[in-house]
Amino acid sequence: MKLQTKAGPLLASWFAHGQAKIALKVEDEDHLVALKAAAQSAGLPVHIVVDAGRTQISPNTKTVLGILGPAADVDAVTGSLKLL
């Protein structure tokens, strides 16, 4: 897991405390990439998931951005987004 090498203890804490996940909607792939850059600038570990194309999604489409960190830090980057 790529995020494991980047986030170590933070990821272990997330696993230990129930693995909360919040799904938010972005406008398009460019917005997803911009959010990744903003999260990285804030010092948060991130990972973009690229779809394999085995369903209705085209291969190599960026579909998910995982951002790991304290809720307040993640909210500072994603707070303007709507729930999916």
Side-chain angles (χ1 to χ4, degrees):
M1 177 186 262
K2 291 179 184 179
L3 196 56
Q4 198 167 24
T5 58
K6 297 178 190 175
L10 187 58
L11 187 61
S13 176
W14 179 71
F15 276 121
H17 293 98
Q19 304 168 25
K21 296 169 260 341
I22 308 297
L24 304 170
K25 183 165 55 170
V26 296
E27 297 169 20
D28 53 29
E29 192 173 299
D30 290 338
H31 191 198
L32 189 77
V33 172
L35 281 170
K36 178 186 179 206
Q40 286 177 313
S41 291
L44 298 169
V46 297
H47 178 72
I48 288 187
V49 176
V50 179
D51 200 275
R54 295 188 181 106
T55 61
Q56 67 269 24
I57 305 294
S58 299
N60 300 317
T61 301
K62 295 173 181 83
T63 55
V64 174
L65 170 62
I67 304 173
L68 187 62
D73 295 346
V74 175
D75 287 349
V77 174
T78 64
S80 65
L81 301 174
K82 303 230 185 251
L83 290 172
L84 185 60

